């Protein structure tokens, strides 16, 4: 693999505003119930501190994509820049990828009965633009980076309550969240 | 594909510059304008729904007439019929009563574009009429700052990036002013500390270093407590005597009337925290306070803001880059006023107007008997969803001959209307808009032709005037036709051109312009007050029967029957009743409360409960959450398809200030009390 693009989320700048998710929906003309990018809240309380932050997540364009490995129809491919693509022409709607992805990224489009997921706005990238979600982010919290350029010692991998994390090597990192003193 | 300049006209701090794209006359996308220094190419998620909103199937496309109010039986009529019905009514009322005072206009901030003042212009052209005056929003704060500084003027929001300490007080920019957040984050990256003061742990509190929970309505006392610490520690600005008035009196008040233990007891903030924060505020330079609209929506709201202003002045943070007490500004709104009919040169027909407090409109309209109010035009507003005193509104509706609502969608207010006039969105008409927080002014150009038969407020005003003059020549002095673009350019009179540094009005057509004010408010510490100084002691206040000093006046207290304070702050998905989230409509109001309070009422998450008071009751779903104090319950203003609107619980308590500056006090919305019971 020549490159690996990935998302970097500075959770201390993320407002949970959902502009990224809405821009994704608009750009990709997704039906109302389908969201390739989602924002979820994480909260941890201690006696005198609250840690409350948002994670804006989409497909992680894993280094070692499980979706690609399990898809019997060969509907997945990984580009030389690391983008994991799904080709709906080849997809039979068998849902293997949906079941195998530890992050719930591929979802069945109720209108086509086929899997769909974030394609990292590759047409935009190919024209030198940033992905719609990154473009829409008001605070610069969400960025797209070449993951090998990120100084990994200051970053956390996107966590998920699953053991297969190390297996797939998701290309998503976030800055450690700050706490609020109360 | 064509690009067009637009401006978000909603009542929001950000007033974003938009670039819209059309293809074959169809709006296909909207994005932020990268050449706008404040909004820098980004839009909030509300505006990202604009394309869907413009073409929404729910949008009303034709003039409609309702057969029986509240019947929902709307039939399409032509513009000619609508204009005919309206004009005939206007003329017959004038004839019957010998005056146009039975005609009332209730308009506010549904679209803040200057050309929307055509509605005021139309009414002025008809003669002396009944008007809603004042503001449901910021009156108390505006007046407090006017007493202290001489006018309300804030630093350029980018100035906040220079601060080393930022206090976000009663403001929730993460939800209501998103474009300020990158500026605050940049300040944090440069080492600034951010403290958030609020009644509950807001989304902004979650992005701050420290959260201070203040008991509702006691912020003024907290500010005075901080000032007391500055006094004790001798941390006040040594140069106060050079540029302030009444400092001695203020010090005397702090010495004799403010005790930290009492302050701590009332505000709920521990004494040690008060001391720590005050020292930090006194010793950090520059330190900035952003006082939000939330903390002045109390019966003591103006006094609260005056106390916060006084704290800023006392510490010497006024007029300093990255410092000050920021609230809002109106200096970039010096349009010629020609369209609204209040051009200084015009012979003031509207000085005969009957002005009613917008927040007590129904009550005051009902008490008008000579002559009574008989026709009501609601424009850019949805009072039946936002105003208090709904029972009085019902009564008023019953006495009216004709109710006209102009809007984009049906609303709680249009349910009571006889005629609905469909209006254009800001993608379909010319306009000019200014911010009340940042200093940018710009033109909104039509990107598409009006959807359906919708018309702009200006076009509607021309059409009504034309019809009136057709029926009775000379009955309305408002123009009967014109050119929208030229009308807007005329609003950029000599004063605005100077403020914007433009030679010709046409120069604004190229793109939004920043007014030429310095980045820092009150930079030279010359104030616009009668004394030219910052006034701790205000004679103007005394003359208006208000306390001359920023003393603490307690807010209202709950009663035994209604022991909980209901707060209804803005939600990130809406601005008041303006609805945006087209696909996420809710069917229930969610009541947020402290887990301990829920327990006390034997409630768990998801339970159905009822809140009630003397005005009405509302069913809610209970949602206990950390970060709420036990004396409040909170319902965020979201779009909810419930049978009853949230405002059915509201009375119309007034704020202490607003009369001098805006002609009416504000709405002390946060002085609403309720009882809670499980269903
Ligand atoms: S996250 Fe899931 S869908 Fe995305 S690349 Fe990895 S395995 Fe595939
Ligand atoms: S990269 Fe494109 S497709 Fe993927 S989440 Fe962002 S906007 Fe959606
Ligand atoms: S747009 Fe940016 S700030 Fe808003 S939720 Fe997405 S990542 Fe967070």
């Amino acid at each position: 693999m020549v490159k690996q693009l990935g998302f970097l989320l500075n959770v201390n700048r993320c407002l949970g505003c959902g502009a990224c998710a809405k821009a994704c929906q608009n750009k990709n003309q997704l039906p109302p119930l389908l969201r390739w990018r989602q924002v979820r809240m994480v909260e941890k309380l201690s006696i005198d501190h609250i840690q409350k932050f948002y994670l804006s997540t989409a497909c992680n364009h894993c280094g070692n994509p499980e979706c690609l490995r399990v898809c019997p129809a060969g509907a997945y491919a990984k580009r030389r820049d690391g983008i994991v693509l799904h080709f709906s022409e080849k997809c039979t709607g068998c849902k293997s990828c949906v079941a195998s992805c530890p992050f719930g990224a591929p979802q069945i489009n109720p209108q086509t009965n086929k899997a769909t997921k974030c394609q990292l706005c590759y047409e935009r990238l190919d024209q030198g633009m940033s992905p719609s979600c990154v473009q829409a982010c008001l605070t610069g919290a969400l960025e797209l980076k070449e993951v090998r350029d990120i100084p990994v010692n200051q970053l956390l991998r996107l966590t998920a309550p699953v053991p297969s994390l190390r297996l797939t090597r998701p290309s998503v990192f976030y800055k450690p969240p700050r706490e609020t003193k109360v | 594909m064509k690009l067009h300049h637009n401006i978000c006209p909603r009542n929001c701090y950000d007033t974003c510059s938009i670039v819209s794209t059309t293809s074959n006359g169809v709006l296909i996308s909207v994005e932020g304008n990268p050449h706008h220094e404040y909004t820098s190419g980004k839009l909030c998620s509300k505006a990202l729904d604009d394309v869907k909103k413009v073409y929404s199937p729910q949008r009303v496309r034709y003039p409609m007439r309702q057969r029986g109010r509240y019947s929902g039986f709307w039939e399409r009529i032509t513009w000619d019929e609508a204009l005919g019905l309206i004009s005939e009514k206007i003329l017959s009322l004038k004839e019957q009563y010998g005056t146009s005072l039975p005609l009332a206009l209730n308009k506010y901030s549904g679209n803040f574009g200057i050309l929307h003042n055509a509605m005021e212009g139309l009414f002025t052209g008809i003669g002396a009429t009944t008007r809603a005056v004042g503001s449901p929003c910021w009156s108390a704060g505006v007046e407090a700052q006017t007493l202290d500084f001489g006018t309300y003027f804030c630093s350029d929001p980018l100035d906040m990036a220079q601060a080393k300490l930022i206090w976000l007080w009663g403001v929730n920019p993460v939800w209501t002013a998103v474009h300020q957040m990158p500026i605050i984050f940049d300040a944090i990256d440069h080492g600034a500390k951010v403290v958030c003061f609020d009644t509950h742990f807001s989304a902004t509190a979650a992005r701050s270093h420290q959260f201070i929970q203040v008991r509702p309505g006691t912020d003024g006392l907290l500010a005075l407590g901080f000032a007391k610490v500055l006094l004790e520690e001798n941390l006040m600005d040594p140069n106060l005597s050079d540029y302030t008035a009444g400092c001695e009196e203020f010090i005397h008040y702090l010495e004799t009337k403010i005790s930290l233990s009492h302050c701590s007891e009332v505000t709920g903030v521990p004494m040690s925290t008060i001391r720590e924060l005050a020292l930090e505020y006194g010793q950090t330079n520059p330190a900035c306070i952003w006082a939000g609209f939330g903390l002045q929506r109390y019966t003591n709201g103006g006094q609260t803001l005056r106390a916060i202003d006084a704290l800023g002045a006392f510490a010497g943070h006024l007029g300093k880059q990255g410092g000050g007490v920021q609230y809002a500004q109106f200096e970039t709104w010096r349009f010629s006023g020609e369209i609204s009919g209040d051009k200084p040169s015009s012979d003031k027909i509207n000085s005969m107007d009957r002005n009613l407090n917008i927040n007590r409109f129904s009550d005051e309209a009902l008490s008008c008997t000579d002559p009574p109010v008989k026709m009501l035009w609601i424009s850019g507003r949805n009072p039946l969803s936002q105003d208090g005193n709904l029972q009085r509104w019902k009564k008023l509706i019953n006495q009216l001959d004709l109710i006209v609502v102009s809007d984009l969608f049906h609303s709680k207010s249009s349910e009571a209307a006889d005629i609905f006039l469909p209006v254009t969105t800001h993608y379909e008409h010319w306009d000019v808009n200014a911010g009340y927080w940042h200093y940018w002014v710009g033109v909104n150009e039509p990107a598409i032709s009006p959807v359906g038969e919708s018309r702009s407020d200006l076009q509607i005003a021309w059409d009504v005037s034309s019809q009136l003059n057709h029926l009775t020549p000379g009955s309305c002095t408002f123009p009967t036709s014109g050119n929208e673009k030229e009308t807007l350019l005329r609003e950029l009179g000599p004063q605005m051109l100077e403020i914007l540094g433009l030679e010709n009005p046409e120069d604004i057509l190229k793109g939004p312009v920043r007014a030429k004010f310095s980045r820092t408010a009150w930079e030279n510490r010359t104030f616009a007050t009668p004394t030219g100084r910052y006034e701790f002691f205000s004679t103007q206040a005394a003359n208006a029967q208000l306390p001359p000093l920023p003393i603490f006046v307690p807010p209202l207290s709950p009663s035994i029957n209604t022991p909980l304070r209901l707060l209804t702050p803005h939600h990130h998905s809406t601005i008041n009743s303006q609805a945006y989230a087209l696909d996420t409509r809710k069917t229930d109001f969610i009541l947020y409360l402290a887990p301990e309070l829920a327990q006390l009422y034997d409630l768990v998450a998801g339970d159905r409960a009822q809140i009630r008071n003397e005005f009405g009751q509302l069913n809610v779903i209970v949602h206990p959450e950390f970060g709420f104090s036990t004396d409040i319950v909170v319902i965020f203003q979201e779009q909810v398809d419930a049978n009853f609107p949230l405002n059915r619980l509201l009375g119309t308590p007034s704020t202490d200030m607003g009369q001098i500056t805006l002609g009416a006090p504000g709405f002390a919305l946060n002085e609403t009390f309720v009882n809670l019971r499980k269903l």
Side-chain angles (χ1 to χ4, degrees):
Chain A
M1 207 54 58
V2 182
K3 276 174 91 182
Q4 176 62 60
L5 292 171
F7 291 108
L8 173 61
L9 181 72
N10 181 346
V11 294
N12 294 315
R13 285 183 95 100
C14 176
L15 310 175
C17 70
C20 49
K22 208 165 256 181
C24 174
Q25 268 198 298
N26 286 345
K27 142 94 191 349
N28 297 298
Q29 304 276 317
L30 301 181
L33 294 174
L34 204 61
R35 291 203 166 79
W36 287 354
R37 177 165 288 283
Q38 278 169 321
V39 182
R40 66 172 205 273
M41 197 250 277
V42 183
E43 191 174 41
K44 282 185 199 141
L45 309 177
S46 65
I47 299 170
D48 52 1
H49 283 88
I50 303 179
Q51 200 180 57
K52 184 172 182 176
F53 59 93
Y54 295 89
L55 287 179
S56 167
T57 58
C59 164
N60 300 318
H61 299 278
C62 299
N64 189 18
E66 187 66 4
C67 51
L68 184 146
R69 198 179 70 80
V70 302
C71 178
Y76 282 88
K78 193 157 170 72
R79 293 203 337 176
R80 287 171 63 79
D81 54 7
I83 301 179
V84 175
L85 286 182
H86 172 260
F87 299 101
S88 59
E89 314 87 80
K90 293 193 188 165
C91 176
T92 58
C94 75
K95 303 184 189 164
S96 309
C97 59
V98 177
S100 72
C101 171
F103 310 101
Q107 298 166 52
I108 296 294
N109 181 341
Q111 290 169 354
T112 61
N113 269 326
K114 294 183 180 193
T116 72
K117 68 163 199 74
C118 157
Q119 308 274 63
L120 226 149
C121 290
Y122 67 91
E123 322 92 311
R124 282 176 65 100
L125 296 190
D126 292 348
Q127 290 172 38
M129 298 194 285
S130 53
S132 293
C133 53
V134 170
Q135 154 70 30
C137 177
L138 287 115
T139 60
L142 187 64
E143 295 177 283
L144 186 73
K145 291 268 171 165
E146 160 58 40
V147 294
R148 262 160 256 164
D149 292 347
I150 306 175
V152 178
N153 54 354
Q154 296 155 30
L155 300 170
L156 304 175
R157 264 239 146 96
L158 190 67
T159 47
V162 278
S164 43
L165 196 65
R166 249 188 244 114
L167 220 67
T168 67
R169 284 191 286 116
S171 312
V172 175
F173 297 86
Y174 73 93
K175 293 218 171 130
R178 201 179 44 228
E179 305 175 311
T180 304
K181 187 174 160 206
V182 289
Chain B
M1 302 264 252
K2 277 176 79 179
L3 300 181
H4 315 261
H5 277 298
N6 298 95
I7 294 196
C8 183
R10 296 163 180 123
N11 185 349
C12 161
Y13 281 95
D14 297 9
T15 315
C16 293
S17 180
I18 301 173
V19 178
S20 61
T21 308
T22 55
S23 170
N24 298 323
V26 176
L27 183 67
I28 55 172
S29 74
V30 302
E31 281 190 56
N33 177 0
H35 302 298
H36 189 275
E37 192 189 24
Y38 183 60
T39 54
S40 67
K42 309 290 178 177
L43 297 176
C44 82
S45 71
K46 295 182 273 274
L48 293 177
D49 274 338
D50 276 2
V51 176
K52 282 182 210 150
K53 191 173 174 187
V54 164
Y55 297 115
S56 161
Q58 271 98 46
R59 188 167 160 196
V60 182
R61 286 166 164 71
Y62 312 101
M64 308 282 258
R65 177 187 199 173
Q66 187 169 218
R67 290 273 173 212
R69 291 177 188 163
Y70 299 105
S71 70
F73 181 48
W74 287 94
E75 62 184 15
R76 180 177 167 181
I77 54 174
T78 65
W79 271 104
D80 282 348
E81 284 171 288
L83 295 167
L85 287 167
I86 292 167
S87 305
E88 279 155 28
K89 187 44 112 194
I90 291 174
L91 293 171
S92 76
L93 285 173
K94 261 175 118 167
E95 162 112 34
Q96 187 184 345
Y97 290 94
T99 156
S100 39
L101 283 173
L103 313 174
L105 175 66
N106 191 320
K107 168 173 171 284
Y108 197 60
S109 69
N111 185 315
F112 257 154
I114 298 305
L115 292 200
H116 289 70
N117 293 342
M119 290 307 299
E120 281 88 340
L122 170 68
F123 272 66
T124 301
I126 294 170
T129 50
T130 302
R131 304 287 183 94
V133 300
S135 157
C137 176
W138 66 355
S139 315
V142 156
E143 187 141 305
Q145 289 225 315
T146 305
L147 296 175
D148 295 335
F149 302 105
T151 185
Y152 49 117
F153 188 48
C154 57
S155 294
D156 186 308
L158 292 153
D159 191 70
M160 211 180 276
Q162 312 296 321
K164 285 275 164 270
L165 179 64
I166 300 173
W167 280 10
L168 303 174
W169 205 331
V171 67
N172 184 10
V174 168
W175 279 11
T176 59
V178 272
H179 291 84
Q180 192 66 26
M181 291 313 297
I183 297 167
I184 292 173
F185 291 144
D186 289 348
I188 291 178
D189 289 348
H190 293 120
K193 182 183 171 188
V194 177
V195 184
C196 177
F197 298 77
D198 212 323
T199 54
H200 59 282
F201 191 81
S202 67
T204 301
R207 296 273 64 81
S208 306
H209 295 101
Q210 191 172 357
F211 167 59
I212 306 297
Q213 189 155 45
V214 191
R215 242 177 237 137
T218 67
D219 309 80
L221 183 59
L222 186 58
L224 295 168
F226 291 142
K228 172 98 178 183
V229 177
L230 296 182
L231 179 66
E232 284 173 1
E233 304 289 337
N234 204 15
L235 280 171
M236 328 79 89
D237 182 0
N239 303 321
L240 283 177
S241 59
D242 297 346
Y243 63 92
T244 67
C247 191
E248 298 291 298
E249 289 93 329
F250 181 58
I251 289 175
H252 180 74
Y253 172 70
L254 292 178
E255 278 170 346
T256 55
K257 296 281 160 50
I258 297 296
S259 98
L260 282 196
S261 58
H262 174 247
C263 172
S264 168
E265 203 178 300
V266 174
T267 62
V269 182
M271 277 228 285
S272 56
T273 309
I274 297 177
R275 194 163 277 284
E276 257 166 54
L277 287 168
L279 292 180
E280 203 168 29
Y281 183 69
Q283 292 170 334
T284 311
N285 275 296
C288 160
I289 295 178
W290 180 2
F293 300 146
L295 49 70
Q296 45 99 59
R297 291 190 175 110
Y298 294 87
T299 46
N300 64 0
Q303 285 299 119
T304 295
L305 207 70
R306 285 203 70 201
I308 293 175
D309 288 347
L311 170 65
F314 207 52
H317 291 322
L318 295 187
K320 296 243 185 91
Q321 198 182 47
V325 180
Q326 315 302 339
Y327 181 68
Q329 61 92 11
F330 218 50
E331 296 299 310
T332 53
W333 290 64
R334 304 203 174 271
F335 297 97
S336 73
E338 191 176 321
I339 193 169
S340 54
D342 54 23
K343 191 171 55 160
S345 61
S346 76
D347 47 351
K348 280 257 172 197
I349 328 169
N350 52 347
S351 62
M352 306 292 289
D353 282 348
R354 189 160 60 182
N355 291 333
L356 310 182
N357 178 349
I358 195 166
N359 303 313
R360 308 173 58 86
F361 185 84
S362 55
D363 220 20
E364 295 193 2
L366 280 168
S367 63
C368 294
T369 45
D370 188 23
V373 174
K374 295 306 275 179
M375 173 179 160
L376 173 63
W377 194 319
I378 298 172
S379 158
R381 270 212 95 203
N382 186 3
L384 295 180
S385 154
Q386 298 301 122
D387 281 14
N389 229 345
L390 283 189
Q391 279 138 353
R392 299 292 280 169
W393 261 105
K394 280 252 155 67
K395 192 151 183 235
L396 175 64
I397 287 161
N398 283 337
Q399 93 167 32
L400 295 170
D401 288 0
L402 186 68
I403 302 175
V404 182
V405 166
S406 31
D407 209 332
L408 294 163
F409 296 90
H410 276 303
S411 66
K412 277 280 158 218
S413 299
S414 78
E415 285 175 12
D418 303 298
I419 292 178
F420 187 104
L421 301 180
V423 296
T424 43
T425 66
H426 54 288
Y427 298 101
E428 298 152 57
H429 57 238
W430 283 100
D431 217 334
V432 55
N433 296 66
Y436 53 72
W437 174 241
H438 64 62
Y439 290 7
W440 287 74
V441 177
V443 156
N444 180 82
E445 58 185 14
I448 54 171
S449 29
V451 168
E453 291 180 4
S454 61
R455 294 184 184 177
S456 67
D457 274 6
L458 176 56
Q459 185 66 50
I460 294 172
W462 282 332
D463 293 342
V464 173
S465 181
S466 164
Q467 182 67 19
L468 285 169
N469 280 298
H470 169 74
L471 294 172
T472 308
S475 58
C476 181
T477 59
F478 192 76
T480 52
S481 67
N483 177 303
E484 271 192 3
K485 187 173 165 186
E486 284 164 16
T487 310
L488 100 75
L489 291 174
R490 276 203 299 278
E491 284 298 308
L492 293 163
Q495 207 186 0
M496 265 319 266
L497 290 181
E498 198 191 315
I499 286 171
L500 298 174
L502 298 180
E503 295 271 308
N504 302 301
E506 288 77 13
D507 295 346
I508 195 127
L509 298 174
K510 292 182 215 135
V513 179
R514 182 189 180 277
K516 300 285 163 242
F517 298 112
S518 98
R519 279 218 193 268
T520 306
W522 311 115
E523 210 176 15
N524 50 15
R525 291 185 165 172
T526 318
F527 296 90
T529 52
T531 57
R533 292 163 165 257
Y534 175 86
E535 296 193 358
F536 287 105
F537 185 99
S538 166
T539 312
Q540 263 181 301
N543 290 343
Q545 318 296 326
L546 293 166
L549 281 173
I551 60 168
F552 176 61
V553 179
L556 298 184
S557 310
S559 65
I560 298 169
N561 291 334
T562 51
L564 298 165
R565 188 185 293 269
L566 172 67
L567 301 179
T568 50
H570 289 141
H571 190 261
H572 64 75
S573 64
T574 68
I575 295 176
N576 298 324
S577 72
Q578 289 185 306
Y580 300 95
L582 299 164
D583 52 357
T584 52
R585 290 184 142 216
K586 296 194 169 156
T587 49
D588 290 293
F589 287 102
I590 311 289
L591 187 82
Y592 292 84
L593 75 179
E596 306 89 292
L597 186 65
Q599 212 170 28
L600 199 68
Y601 283 85
D602 189 26
L603 293 161
V604 296
D607 275 355
R608 292 195 160 270
Q610 188 178 68
I611 48 174
R612 57 156 58 236
N613 61 17
E614 68 265 43
F615 304 106
Q617 76 272 351
L618 198 71
N619 292 353
V620 294
I621 306 272
V622 167
H623 186 98
E625 196 174 293
F626 182 84
F628 293 86
S629 63
T630 49
D631 49 358
I632 60 165
V633 289
V634 175
I635 299 178
F636 295 106
Q637 284 190 55
E638 287 181 83
Q639 191 186 1
V640 175
D641 282 334
N643 284 339
F644 300 109
L646 178 51
N647 61 327
R648 88 188 302 223
L649 293 163
L650 305 179
T652 50
S654 290
T655 60
D656 49 353
M657 292 183 197
Q659 187 69 44
I660 317 172
T661 327
L662 296 179
F667 192 176
L669 192 63
N670 293 342
E671 304 273 30
T672 301
F673 299 93
V674 295
N675 203 342
L676 170 63
R677 74 180 174 94
K678 191 171 173 163
L679 282 183

